[in-house]
Amino acid sequence: DAGITQSPRHKVTETGTPVTLRCHQTENHRYMYWYRQDPGHGLRLIHYSYGVKDTDKGEVSDGYSVSRSKTEDFLLTLESATSSQTSVYFCAISEEGFYGYTFGSGTRLTVV
Amino acid sequence: DQQVKQNSPSLSVQEGRISILNCDYTNSMFDYFLWYKKYPAEGPTFLISISSIKDKNEDGRFTVFLNKSAKHLSLHIVPSQPGDSAVYFCAASAREKLTFGTGTRLTIIP
């Protein structure tokens, strides 16, 4: 039922290289979010967007940047990948912003 | 500073019995609470929610209880079924963001 897709699904990259993950939605929702999931930490918010060109930081934003030039796309960039950024990254969308999140299937990123 | 805590990393329950998953929070500004279910290699999916003005919400086999004075919520699943085996995250909302707990892995034993 998609409505939200993440690409790539898997990626292996080297330490120090830049990496961009893409989240694409077809629901025209206002809010988009990037979370990372790690054992023992659950899901932690990296950045979120409340409209085109409107973004804000989450609790673990260091080393990450985002951009949203169109309603449907939210990009997450690791400026210089480190091993600590090895994780599963989830994008989520929401119409209201405080409930009803729909998550993508995730991107598994490995930094070697 | 973990604002939403799930102190049980795992839970095993016999099929047909009740599963009770617990969650504690520290931020009194949270006004909406949710439970998400996650299967391996998939994104979390919404299960059930409750507003801070209520103390109980029921949806089929799933019931969420909220005790605001104790800053505690729980998810009851009855009867438990094998398909309920998954990781369950509680989440709390303040304004535009959800804060998630660390998750509890529920295993239903046939």
Side-chain angles (χ1 to χ4, degrees), chain B residues 5-21:
Chain B
K5 301 178 184 179
Q6 294 176 256
N7 292 319
S8 297
S10 62
L11 175 68
S12 294
V13 175
Q14 288 285 133
E15 181 179 357
R17 306 292 289 267
I18 184 171
S19 295
I20 300 176
L21 294 87

Side-chain angles (χ1 to χ4, degrees), chain A residues 9 30-31 33 35 37 40-45 48 50 57-59 90 97-106, chain B residues 1-2 31-32 34 36 38 41-46 49 87 89 92-103:
Chain A
R9 289 297 311 275
R30 177 183 175 191
Y31 296 90
Y33 306 82
Y35 284 85
Q37 184 193 4
H41 292 280
L43 291 157
R44 293 181 292 175
L45 181 64
Y48 69 104
Y50 45 95
K57 296 179 180 180
E59 60 183 307
F90 288 100
F98 62 95
Y99 76 104
Y101 282 29
T102 300
F103 282 85
S105 299
Chain B
D1 178 26
Q2 192 78 28
D31 57 4
Y32 205 82
L34 308 91
Y36 280 80
K38 185 183 180 305
E42 296 182 9
T45 56
F46 170 75
S49 63
V87 176
F89 292 99
S93 171
R95 298 181 64 193
E96 304 162 321
K97 300 178 287 186
L98 288 186
T99 300
F100 285 84
T102 51

Side-chain angles (χ1 to χ4, degrees), chain B residues 74-85:
Chain B
S74 61
L75 173 68
H76 293 210
I77 306 173
V78 56
S80 299
Q81 299 175 353
D84 296 331
S85 293

Side-chain angles (χ1 to χ4, degrees), chain B residues 30-103:
Chain B
F30 289 141
D31 57 4
Y32 205 82
F33 303 88
L34 308 91
W35 285 93
Y36 280 80
K37 177 179 180 180
K38 185 183 180 305
Y39 291 120
E42 296 182 9
T45 56
F46 170 75
L47 190 58
I48 192 169
S49 63
I50 187 168
S51 165
S52 60
I53 62 173
K54 296 187 175 182
D55 55 17
K56 177 182 174 181
N57 187 29
E58 196 170 350
D59 183 2
R61 296 186 298 114
F62 303 92
T63 303
V64 57
F65 295 93
L66 175 63
N67 182 333
K68 282 185 295 184
S69 61
K71 293 190 174 68
H72 177 84
L73 66 155
S74 61
L75 173 68
H76 293 210
I77 306 173
V78 56
S80 299
Q81 299 175 353
D84 296 331
S85 293
V87 176
Y88 289 78
F89 292 99
C90 69
S93 171
R95 298 181 64 193
E96 304 162 321
K97 300 178 287 186
L98 288 186
T99 300
F100 285 84
T102 51

